[in-house]
């Protein structure tokens, strides 16, 4: 019996829908259906009643769901216990970054881990908040930084600090915003995110509140790319203020001063991983850096 089939069974039972379960598992609906069929054949039990409206557990399916959850939890507990038995905690943590490592205090974290948890090695990867959340769901990341609380119940997020955001405009466009109005901004080209992004949500909510529309000229989920495009006069974008300071000093970018925004930086990880020994060792070290 494969644990992946049990996990698929539990997710389908929770979603009561094959397509939604497939989206959560990052599998295709036929693959999910195949997992359920294989499990039903192996157990010789009908787990679901299928209809046009979704998937409903049978009476036996309801009983077996609890057993499946217990089996999955026991398997994870075994892995965690094996790790804890090591005299020195050793392992690699996949860590997602949504901003510049300096802004996220990664150098301090590495130095502190070297002293307090020398067996833990970080593998860093940079992306946007939306993509990092998806990678956490797929268990391709262990932990990561995101802006604003996680919108997904299976992902826990710990608030760290409020980050100041500003609308960045090419310095050569200064003459185009003389009135300092949102209507002026709505006529400019915007560089937006092509996935879930709290920054994007803030801008869209503001324009919607004012009854204005705006032009999304370029879509990118990379903050460095968006900053470079603003610097080169392609369009404007809502970005972290700290990332703009050098370009402001060099007069390559100006800030729209009428209004600023904030987003809260969080550390996020899958709730089911909260007993993972590596994360249990890493989290206090990371949080201590932000407390100080």
């Amino acid at each position: 019996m494969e644990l992946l089939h049990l996990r698929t069974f539990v997710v389908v039972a929770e979603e009561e829908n094959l397509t939604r379960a497939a989206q959560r598992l990052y599998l295709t609906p036929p693959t999910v259906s195949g997992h359920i069929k294989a499990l039903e054949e192996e157990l010789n039990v009908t787990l679901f009643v299928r209809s046009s409206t979704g998937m409903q557990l049978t009476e036996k399916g309801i009983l077996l769901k609890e057993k499946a959850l217990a089996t999955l939890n026991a398997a994870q507990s075994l892995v965690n216990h094996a790790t804890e038995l090591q005299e020195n905690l050793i392992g690699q943590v996949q860590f997602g970054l949504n901003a510049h490592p300096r802004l996220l205090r990664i150098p301090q974290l590495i130095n502190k881990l070297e002293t307090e948890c020398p067996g833990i090695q970080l593998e860093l990867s940079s992306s946007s908040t939306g993509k990092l959340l998806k990678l956490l769901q797929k268990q391709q990341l262990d932990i990561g930084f995101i802006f604003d609380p996680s919108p997904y119940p299976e992902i826990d997020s710990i608030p760290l600090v409020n980050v100041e955001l500003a609308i960045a405009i090419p310095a050569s466009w200064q003459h185009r915003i003389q009135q300092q109005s949102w209507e002026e901004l709505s006529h400019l080209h915007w560089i937006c995110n092509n996935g879930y992004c709290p920054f994007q949500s803030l801008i869209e909510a503001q324009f919607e509140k004012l009854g204005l529309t705006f032009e999304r000229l370029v879509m990118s989920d990379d903050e460095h790319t968006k900053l470079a495009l603003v610097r080169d006069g392609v369009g404007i974008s809502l970005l972290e203020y700290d990332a703009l300071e050098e370009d402001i000093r060099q007069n390559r970018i100006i800030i729209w001063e009428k209004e600023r925004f904030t987003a809260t930086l969080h550390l996020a990880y899958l709730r089911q991983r909260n007993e993972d020994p590596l994360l249990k060792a890493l989290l206090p070290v990371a949080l201590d850096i932000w407390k100080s």
Side-chain angles (χ1 to χ4, degrees):
M1 182 180 298
E2 295 189 29
L3 291 176
L4 179 57
H5 290 176
L6 288 181
R7 173 163 167 73
T8 300
F9 165 48
V10 169
V11 172
V12 173
E14 290 173 348
E15 294 293 339
E16 298 183 345
N17 181 280
L18 205 65
T19 301
R20 289 198 302 270
Q23 290 172 344
R24 254 182 77 178
L25 293 163
Y26 292 90
L27 299 172
T28 64
T31 300
V32 171
S33 181
H35 287 183
I36 297 300
K37 182 179 179 182
L39 190 59
E40 288 181 324
E41 290 177 352
E42 185 174 1
L43 298 174
N44 196 27
V45 169
T46 300
L47 298 172
F48 293 97
V49 176
R50 297 158 175 81
S51 69
S52 58
T53 58
M55 307 272 287
Q56 297 293 326
L57 283 169
T58 62
E59 289 185 8
K60 292 179 179 178
I62 292 172
L63 295 174
L64 289 174
K65 177 190 172 187
E66 299 306 315
K67 293 290 187 181
L69 279 169
T71 301
L72 290 170
N73 290 336
Q76 185 60 54
S77 177
L78 177 64
V79 173
N80 293 345
H81 186 57
T83 304
E84 289 173 342
L85 288 176
Q86 299 174 21
E87 184 176 350
N88 295 311
L89 198 61
I90 299 173
Q92 189 175 73
V93 174
Q94 311 287 329
F95 207 131
L97 312 183
N98 66 345
H100 193 284
R102 176 179 55 81
L103 301 180
L104 299 175
R105 306 184 185 179
I106 294 301
Q108 295 97 310
L109 175 59
I110 292 172
N111 291 334
K112 198 171 179 65
L113 280 176
E114 188 176 8
T115 302
E116 299 186 18
C117 305
I120 296 180
Q121 181 185 23
L122 299 184
E123 182 172 333
L124 306 176
S125 59
S126 297
S127 191
S128 63
T129 289
K131 285 198 171 182
L132 292 176
L133 285 166
K134 297 298 183 185
L135 291 172
L136 287 169
Q137 287 179 317
K138 294 168 69 175
Q139 300 191 51
Q140 293 178 357
L141 275 182
D142 298 310
I143 191 169
F145 289 101
I146 63 170
F147 284 114
D148 285 353
S150 164
Y152 304 112
E154 66 270 27
I155 295 179
D156 282 339
S157 52
I158 304 171
L160 301 175
V161 67
N162 287 332
V163 177
E164 187 176 10
L165 313 176
I167 296 175
I169 301 171
S172 59
W173 289 19
Q174 189 165 9
H175 66 283
R176 301 174 66 176
I177 54 165
Q178 295 178 357
Q179 303 299 317
Q180 291 285 317
S181 70
W182 279 99
E183 185 173 4
E184 280 182 321
L185 292 188
S186 72
H187 297 309
L188 301 180
H189 296 155
W190 280 81
I191 302 163
C192 299
N193 199 284
N194 58 1
Y196 169 78
C197 175
F199 296 8
Q200 184 74 15
S201 300
L202 286 170
I203 292 299
E204 290 177 353
Q206 182 67 21
F207 278 121
E208 184 178 352
K209 182 176 72 173
L210 298 172
L212 298 170
T213 58
F214 67 106
E215 181 181 353
R216 299 165 177 82
L217 177 68
V218 180
M219 310 296 283
S220 173
D221 59 16
D222 181 71
E223 297 301 301
H224 300 292
T225 299
K226 291 197 281 188
L227 175 56
L229 291 175
V230 174
R231 184 188 299 136
D232 292 339
V234 174
I236 69 177
S237 190
L238 182 64
L239 299 167
E240 301 155 55
Y241 182 80
D242 284 351
L244 304 174
E245 290 182 316
E246 179 62 26
D247 286 292
I248 294 171
R249 283 195 294 269
Q250 297 294 328
N251 198 33
R252 294 188 292 252
I253 282 176
I254 60 172
I255 297 302
W256 194 58
E257 297 291 353
K258 183 174 181 180
E259 191 162 356
R260 297 282 183 90
F261 298 89
T262 59
T264 306
L265 184 69
H266 287 70
L267 263 178
Y269 54 92
L270 270 180
R271 179 169 298 171
Q272 69 185 52
R273 299 284 305 280
N274 61 5
E275 292 301 318
D276 184 302
L278 292 175
L279 289 186
K280 286 174 71 175
L282 172 66
L283 272 171
V285 177
L287 295 177
D288 188 56
I289 289 171
W290 287 94
K291 287 177 183 176
S292 61

